[in-house]
Amino acid sequence: MTTDAEIQSALPTLASGNVAVITGGASGIGLAAAKRFAAMGMKTVIADIGGARLDQARQALAAIGGDDAVRAVDADVSYIDDVDRLADAAFAAFGAVSVLMNNAGVGNNPGKPWENRVAWRELMDTNFWGVVHGVQVFAPRMLAANTPGLIINTGSKQGITTPPGNLAYNVSKSAVKTFTEGLAHALRNEPGAYLSAHLLIPGFTYTGLTEGATEKPAGAWTGEQVIEFMLAALVRRDFYILCPDNETTRPMDEKRMAWAIGDIIENRPALSRWHPDHKDAFAKFMEN
C-alpha cells in the first residue's frame, strides 16, 4: 500500500490542509473517500440527503480529522440551487477547494425504456445532472483559484458495457463517461488551467447500491479498496480509473469492453454478448 506521505509527495493537491468536497459522502465509496482524505489531514465537506446517515458520517469524519475540519451539507445534487449552497458552504468554511468528487448516485430501476418516465427522469437528474451541476458550480471557482485541483466523477462499468438489467442506470453512467471525457479535454485546453478531470470506474463494490446484499459478497471490493486504487491511479495521472474486484480482473474487463465496441465494428446485434446467437463466440473470445 502506498503511504499517505508518498501520495501527497507525488500529488500535492492532496496535501494536508487542502479541501475536498464529496457528494454522496454519507455512505459507500463517497464516505470511504472522505475518511481517507480526512486521514491525510485534508478538510472535508460531504454532501448527501439529510438525516441520521449524514449525521453519523459527519461524526465519523470528525473523529478522524476533528470537528473544525469537517462540514456536512444537506444537499440534493439534482437541484443546482442545492449545489450552489454546497459550494458557498465549502468556500466560506475552508477557502479554495482542491478536490471535487462528484459521487452521488442512485440505482433505483425504473424498468423498461417505455415505463416510468418520472422515475427515469429522477435517476438521470441525480446520476447525470448531479455531476453536471457539480462541475458547472465548482469548476469556475476552482479555475479562478489558479491552484492545482482535481475533479473526480464516479462512473461505472455499466456505462461502458451496458449489461441488461437496469437500462436507466447504464444510460446515466454512459452520459457521465462522455461528459467527463469532454471535461478532461476542455480543461486540458483551457489556458492557464491547473485543474484535471478523472473518471472513477468502480468494479463490483459493496455499497448502499448493492441490491439484495446484507453483507459484503465475496466477489465485491469494499469502498476503501476502491479509494486506495483510485489514489494510486491519480498519482499515475490516469484519466480512466478502471477498478478490478475480487472476481473480475483487468484483462477480463478489457476483453468485455473490446467485445462491446466490436458490436459496432462487426455489425453484430446490440448487446450481442447476451444474444443467444453469439453466446458461443463470446465465450471463445474470452477464453483466447
Side-chain angles (χ1 to χ4, degrees):
M1 184 189 304
T2 308
T3 67
D4 290 352
E6 291 169 334
I7 293 169
Q8 291 169 313
S9 175
L11 201 59
T13 308
L14 303 181
S16 177
N18 284 358
V19 181
V21 176
I22 306 102
T23 68
S27 65
I29 291 171
L31 180 56
K35 287 181 175 179
R36 192 71 162 83
F37 291 143
M40 297 169 75
M42 298 185 73
K43 297 170 183 175
T44 56
V45 181
I46 57 170
D48 216 309
I49 303 301
R53 190 175 65 170
L54 182 59
D55 292 339
Q56 291 165 3
R58 187 201 63 77
Q59 292 170 16
L61 292 171
I64 297 170
D67 278 322
D68 292 343
V70 180
R71 295 292 185 275
V73 179
D74 177 359
D76 182 341
V77 297
S78 68
Y79 296 99
I80 197 164
D81 288 348
D82 278 21
V83 181
D84 279 327
R85 185 165 47 79
L86 168 64
D88 288 344
F91 280 86
F94 300 129
V97 171
S98 296
V99 178
L100 169 65
M101 189 168 178
N102 290 307
N103 172 76
V106 295
N108 299 335
N109 189 348
K112 297 174 183 178
W114 53 85
E115 295 177 338
N116 300 328
R117 180 175 68 252
V118 171
W120 269 80
R121 185 176 296 278
E122 288 174 350
L123 185 145
M124 291 296 295
D125 281 348
T126 297
N127 289 10
F128 174 63
W129 281 105
V131 172
V132 176
H133 291 161
V135 170
Q136 292 190 339
V137 168
F138 278 87
R141 296 195 193 192
M142 295 173 76
L143 287 167
N146 204 34
T147 56
L150 301 169
I151 296 177
I152 305 161
N153 295 336
T154 301
S156 171
K157 293 176 188 178
Q158 288 182 226
I160 302 172
T161 58
T162 60
N166 190 339
L167 179 59
Y169 184 81
N170 295 351
V171 170
S172 71
K173 292 301 184 177
S174 293
V176 169
K177 170 184 174 291
T178 302
F179 178 77
T180 309
E181 289 168 337
L183 172 64
H185 177 79
L187 290 173
R188 202 163 55 231
N189 289 279
E190 183 68 14
Y194 293 94
L195 189 58
S196 63
H198 306 265
L199 181 66
L200 175 62
I201 313 170
F204 182 20
T205 309
Y206 182 58
T207 71
L209 299 185
T210 309
E211 295 182 3
T214 56
E215 59 183 30
K216 189 184 83 65
W221 265 15
T222 63
E224 288 74 17
Q225 286 175 291
V226 170
I227 297 307
E228 193 64 38
F229 187 92
M230 181 189 81
L231 291 173
L234 289 173
V235 167
R236 296 192 300 267
R237 306 302 197 271
D238 291 352
F239 171 78
Y240 298 103
I241 305 175
L242 179 61
C243 302
D245 53 53
N246 292 335
E247 62 185 18
T248 306
T249 64
R250 184 180 178 97
M252 291 170 65
D253 276 329
E254 289 174 353
K255 297 207 76 173
R256 289 171 178 174
M257 292 175 184
W259 181 274
I261 197 65
D263 280 352
I264 301 172
I265 298 168
E266 302 295 334
N267 197 27
R268 297 189 294 251
L271 303 185
S272 70
R273 176 177 160 191
W274 296 274
H275 193 295
D277 292 351
H278 296 268
K279 178 181 178 181
D280 292 342
F282 174 71
K284 184 176 180 180
F285 177 79
M286 291 298 294
E287 290 173 2
N288 291 338

